[in-house]
């Protein structure tokens, strides 16, 4: 679990702002659900025989009512619970998004943490393939506005439960024939959840898994039609995709379309976004049967990828550093600074870090002004103040040019200071 400290936290703020504005553009609305949910929600929602439920949840007993609770390992189940609990679909489908921390007890490694952050988008109450495509387009737009490159889209269809029954039998007999090649996890899941075996991370099992019967070959005509419709929309929108018949995703709640955005630049933790359709989850969580589709992005991985490709993420720097040579002028300085802030100028005010030592010399304050990154130093010199003026010193033009400004024309001054 990581602390996120300045100046790096600025890239988080930057990313979150980009996401908020994109979500508005796509008409997705923000939802905030609790970080703790009842354990039963995840067991029922994600599936008992999944990595998350079997070994990754932080669960504990509530002191009072002895209910078992879990730090959310993902947010779709919580969003669906909230949608059902608040009857949010009474007037039609809902497009929602969230951002926040998730918790999974995994082996920490690059791109894999125990507290990590996801941004997710969910469209609940819409059955059509255009929604599957809309979510993919939304993620694709995000890579574009972030300037991410080298991201590939892989898609697959998991069909419907009926399609999966026939595939399940074929899968079990295939794995039974190769029982010696299965690891412990796979053997345990052979009859409880054989599809999960295809999601193995074990490199020794990849060739076995690659040659396994493909779910795609068991899809009904309707499932195929849905998948074809998604693909045609992606083609029409100019989004490049690749079929990955092995893509099954980690949770049991998916059906029909599933997809991942992957990169080769992050080592083995290359999936930055995963999602798909989950038409049976709402019912599973106690609501009326309701179709839905969504995805989640791993924020740490996206930021690492941006870092990797050398993207320049703007850092927060103040417009102005206020230099206050004498404590006698603090009151007037603060009044002026507050007016400037109300007018939209970002101001970092000099403060001494030692008590009882005054404000420090002009020279040391200007040095601080310089290292703050501010474009201007605003100097509240005693002599200027007595004439109701202050000095603006340009810190970034190479020779520190100065000009004097009247405190009576604060609006004009604010315009100058913002312009950097
Ligand atoms: P993986 O196969 O890498 O374990 P997953 O299928 O468990 O991923 P999801 O539950 O679909 O992942 O979560 C969506 C995204 O969240 C992932 O694609 C990844 O970018 C990110 N993510 C998942 N687990 C972690 C983690 N422990 N640390 C950081 N990011 C994570
Ligand atoms: Mg995982």
């Amino acid at each position: 679990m990581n602390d996120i400290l300045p100046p790096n936290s600025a890239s988080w703020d930057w990313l979150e702002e980009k996401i908020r504005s994109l979500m508005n553009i796509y008409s997705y609305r923000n939802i905030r659900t609790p970080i703790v949910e009842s354990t039963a929600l995840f067991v029922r929602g994600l599936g008992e025989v999944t990595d998350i439920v079997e070994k990754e949840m932080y669960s504990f007993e509530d002191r009072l009512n002895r209910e078992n609770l879990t730090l959310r390992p993902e947010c779709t189940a919580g969003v669906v619970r909230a949608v059902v609990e608040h009857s949010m679909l009474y007037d039609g489908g809902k497009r929602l998004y969230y951002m926040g921390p998730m918790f999974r007890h995994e082996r920490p490694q690059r791109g894999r943490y125990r507290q990590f952050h996801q941004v997710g988008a969910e469209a609940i109450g819409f059955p059509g393939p255009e929604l599957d495509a809309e979510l993919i387009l939304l993620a694709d737009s995000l890579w574009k506005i972030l300037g991410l490159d080298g991201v590939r889209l892989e898609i697959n269809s998991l069909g419907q439960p009926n399609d999966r029954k026939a595939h399940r039998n074929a899968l079990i007999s295939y794995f039974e024939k190769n029982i010696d090649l299965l690891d412990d996890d796979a053997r345990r899941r052979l009859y409880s959840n054989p599809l999960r075996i295809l999601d193995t991370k074990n490199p020794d099992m990849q060739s076995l898994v690659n040659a396994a019967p493909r779910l795609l070959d068991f899809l009904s005509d309707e499932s195929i039609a849905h998948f074809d419709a998604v693909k045609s929309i992606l083609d029409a929108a100019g989004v490049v995709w690749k079929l990955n018949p092995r893509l099954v995703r980690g949770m049991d709640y998916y059906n029909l379309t599933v997809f991942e955005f992957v990169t080769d630049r992050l080592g083995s933790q290359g999936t930055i976004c995963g999602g798909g359709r989950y038409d049976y989850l709402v019912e599973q969580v106690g609501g009326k049967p309701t179709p839905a589709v969504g995805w989640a992005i791993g924020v740490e991985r996206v930021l690492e990828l941006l870092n990797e490709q050398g993207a320049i993420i703007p850092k927060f720097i103040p417009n102005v550093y206020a230099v206050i040579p004498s404590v006698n002028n603090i009151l007037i300085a603060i009044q002026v600074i507050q007016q400037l802030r109300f007018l939209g100028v970002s101001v970092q005010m000099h403060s001494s870090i030692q008590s009882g030592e005054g404000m420090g010399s002009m020279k040391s304050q200007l040095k601080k002004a310089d290292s703050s990154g501010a474009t201007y130093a605003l100097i509240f010199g005693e002599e200027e103040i007595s004439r109701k003026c202050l000095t603006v010193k340009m810190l970034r033009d190479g020779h520190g040019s100065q000009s004097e400004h009247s405190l009576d024309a604060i609006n004009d001054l604010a315009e100058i200071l913002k312009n950097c």
Side-chain angles (χ1 to χ4, degrees):
M1 300 191 182
N2 296 309
D3 297 312
I4 300 162
L5 310 173
N8 294 339
S9 54
S11 36
W12 286 74
D13 285 345
W14 171 84
L15 181 70
E16 286 164 6
E17 255 169 54
K18 293 269 182 197
I19 289 165
R20 281 195 190 97
S21 82
L22 186 68
M23 292 296 179
N24 281 330
I25 284 173
Y26 274 78
S27 273
Y28 281 64
R29 305 289 168 239
N30 187 226
I31 180 165
R32 299 173 189 230
T33 60
I35 283 175
V36 178
E37 297 273 358
S38 127
T39 301
L41 173 71
F42 299 115
V43 176
R44 230 183 306 132
L46 277 53
E48 214 147 341
V49 188
T50 53
D51 279 349
I52 294 182
V53 170
E54 282 185 336
K55 47 194 180 198
E56 295 174 0
M57 297 204 299
Y58 285 95
S59 302
F60 57 96
E61 211 143 86
D62 180 73
R63 260 170 221 279
L64 276 183
N65 57 14
R66 296 276 169 236
E67 190 188 0
N68 203 279
L69 303 176
T70 292
L71 297 184
R72 62 184 189 192
E74 58 94 68
C75 205
T76 302
V79 167
V80 167
R81 180 208 42 76
V83 162
V84 171
E85 194 171 320
H86 303 285
S87 308
M88 285 174 66
L89 301 175
Y90 76 96
D91 61 347
K94 288 281 174 296
R95 290 175 167 89
L96 304 166
Y97 80 92
Y98 59 81
M99 321 190 193
M102 308 295 155
F103 304 84
R104 295 184 193 177
H105 202 288
E106 303 195 64
R107 191 168 66 78
Q109 50 194 295
R110 184 184 183 199
R112 198 176 284 289
Y113 311 102
R114 289 182 170 171
Q115 173 172 332
F116 64 100
H117 296 76
Q118 287 185 335
V119 171
E122 318 282 1
I124 303 181
F126 307 98
E130 68 278 9
L131 262 294
D132 310 31
E134 177 177 286
L135 276 146
I136 292 174
L137 293 179
L138 170 59
D140 189 65
S141 304
L142 184 61
W143 317 140
K144 292 202 170 93
I145 63 164
L146 297 179
L148 268 189
D149 34 60
V151 180
R152 300 189 309 275
L153 167 63
E154 298 190 347
I155 59 175
N156 191 21
S157 174
L158 298 182
Q160 298 289 19
N162 262 340
D163 310 338
R164 292 223 281 267
K165 268 188 205 139
H167 175 251
R168 182 191 149 93
N169 294 335
L171 208 53
I172 292 178
S173 55
Y174 170 78
F175 285 130
E176 276 174 339
K177 278 191 213 115
N178 296 284
I179 192 93
D180 294 343
L181 302 172
L182 297 184
D183 64 12
D184 289 348
D185 263 351
R187 277 180 208 198
R188 202 163 32 78
R189 290 169 174 182
L190 179 55
Y191 301 103
S192 56
N193 198 343
L195 194 64
R196 272 287 70 75
I197 300 176
L198 300 179
D199 195 35
T200 179
K201 304 276 189 313
N202 184 349
D204 298 338
M205 281 180 45
Q206 291 311 316
S207 54
L208 177 71
V209 158
N210 284 341
R214 300 171 0 145
L215 183 46
L216 267 183
D217 300 326
F218 292 80
L219 297 190
S220 68
D221 291 348
E222 262 165 63
S223 300
I224 290 173
H226 186 96
F227 197 33
D228 285 345
V230 175
K231 292 191 261 187
S232 332
I233 301 172
L234 296 179
D235 289 340
V239 175
V240 179
W241 52 269
K242 186 172 165 258
L243 179 70
N244 175 359
R246 307 290 152 214
L247 185 64
V248 293
R249 311 277 310 118
M251 289 74 131
D252 283 352
Y253 53 57
Y254 290 110
N255 67 305
L256 292 175
T257 322
V258 288
F259 53 88
E260 285 186 354
F261 286 91
V262 289
T263 169
D264 299 321
R265 294 228 190 100
L266 295 178
S268 49
Q269 265 59 254
T271 304
I272 57 168
C273 172
R277 190 160 266 290
Y278 52 93
D279 294 334
Y280 302 95
L281 182 61
V282 180
E283 203 178 347
Q284 195 77 26
V285 166
K288 289 204 252 339
T290 307
V293 51
W295 52 241
I297 289 175
V299 175
E300 282 81 357
R301 293 187 194 177
V302 168
L303 288 171
E304 203 189 325
L305 187 54
L306 281 166
N307 213 17
E308 185 84 6
Q309 68 179 54
I312 313 272
I313 300 176
K315 297 259 179 278
F316 285 124
I317 43 172
N319 300 131
V320 166
Y321 191 96
V323 171
I324 309 166
S326 158
V327 282
N328 299 334
N329 291 326
I330 282 189
L331 291 186
I332 178 88
I334 288 179
Q335 283 169 10
V336 174
I337 289 169
Q338 283 302 87
Q339 287 183 56
L340 289 171
R341 285 174 173 157
F342 280 121
L343 293 167
V345 181
S346 67
V347 183
Q348 181 174 340
M349 190 182 96
H350 180 78
S351 289
S352 175
I353 54 170
Q354 245 109 38
S355 59
E357 297 215 346
M359 298 299 282
S361 71
M362 177 84 138
K363 191 168 162 225
S364 72
Q365 291 196 36
L366 280 170
K367 220 168 132 188
K368 283 263 163 53
D370 196 51
S371 59
S372 76
T375 310
Y376 299 101
L378 207 55
I379 305 170
F380 292 85
E382 205 126 19
E383 190 272 329
E384 298 102 296
I385 297 269
S386 68
R387 290 186 285 111
K388 296 190 82 183
C389 284
L390 46 71
T391 300
V392 173
K393 182 181 168 88
M394 177 59 172
L395 296 171
R396 312 284 154 206
D397 66 354
H399 44 273
S401 56
Q402 297 197 5
S403 52
E404 220 174 73
H405 294 262
S406 164
L407 291 179
D408 294 330
I410 200 89
N411 286 299
D412 298 344
L413 178 60
E415 286 315 307
I416 295 170
L417 298 176
K418 276 194 285 188
N419 194 10
C420 55

